[in-house]
Structures are given as structure tokens and as C-alpha cells.
Amino acid sequence: MEKGNVSAQPSPIVMKATSKLSSRGQVVIPAEIRKTLGLAEGDDLTFIVNEDGEIKVEVTKKYRLSQLIGILKTNQPFRPVEEIRDEVYRTMGAKELKDGEEN
């Protein structure tokens, strides 16, 4: 995420919601905020407090590997996992046989 210069002007309020601090120090993020930010279980939130006492929250999304499929471009066609696994086993087996012959 790219960060630019922050102006001295306060940012306009896009959404406002209220929550309470529990006796254990926990805060529930209101559903409308979670939905707007696309927050899900496992996402990391970083709280930043400036000199004026203003709090900002940065969200770091956690993605499942299955959500990242196709994110990188490649010139090679997709190969099924079973095909790749078989190739690895053949390669490992050939290496084992070669290592056995050398001893």
C-alpha cells in the first residue's frame, strides 16, 4: 500500500459507528465497518496513536492460498496438482536409485 503526504486538514467522515470496551479490554468492530472494510477473521489490525490522541487503524488482510490462485501471470499452462506430485515422486525415486548405485 502506497502512502502519500498527509495534509493538515482532517479527513471527512465517511462512516461512524460506536462500540464499547469490554472488561477484558476487547472491542467489537461494528458490522457495518467490518463489511465496508471487508474484514474477516484472522485479519490483522494495527492501531496507531498520533500526538493529538487520534487513533488510526491499518488493516492487513490475511488470504487463503486458494484466494491467491491466478494472481501471478505465467506463460505456462496450468498443471493439475496430481501431475506435479507424480513428477516430483518420479524425480525423487530416480535420485534415490542413482544415489544407491553410487554406494
Side-chain angles (χ1 to χ4, degrees):
M1 175 166 53
E2 187 177 313
K3 296 183 181 185
N5 293 337
V6 178
S7 69
Q9 299 294 325
S11 59
I13 295 175
V14 175
M15 182 178 294
K16 183 176 181 178
T18 304
S19 186
K20 291 185 180 181
L21 184 67
S22 76
S23 60
R24 295 177 54 187
Q26 297 171 322
V27 176
V28 174
I29 300 170
E32 61 268 25
I33 301 290
R34 292 194 314 265
K35 183 177 178 184
T36 299
L37 296 177
L39 295 176
E41 182 178 346
D43 289 343
D44 289 328
L45 304 176
T46 302
F47 296 86
I48 303 161
V49 182
N50 69 18
E51 292 175 351
D52 299 331
E54 181 180 63
I55 298 173
K56 293 191 178 197
V57 180
E58 287 182 355
V59 177
T60 304
K61 300 288 295 167
K62 298 283 180 158
Y63 293 101
R64 295 181 182 271
L65 187 56
S66 61
Q67 292 173 295
L68 301 175
I69 292 176
I71 198 168
L72 299 176
K73 302 297 180 204
T74 179
N75 294 333
Q76 297 185 6
F78 173 77
R79 291 175 53 199
V81 172
E82 294 80 16
E83 183 181 313
I84 296 169
R85 184 179 296 125
D86 290 345
E87 181 181 329
V88 169
Y89 287 151
R90 279 193 306 274
T91 303
M92 290 171 58
K95 183 180 182 315
E96 289 290 323
L97 288 173
K98 182 180 176 186
D99 289 345
E101 291 172 358
E102 292 177 359
N103 290 333

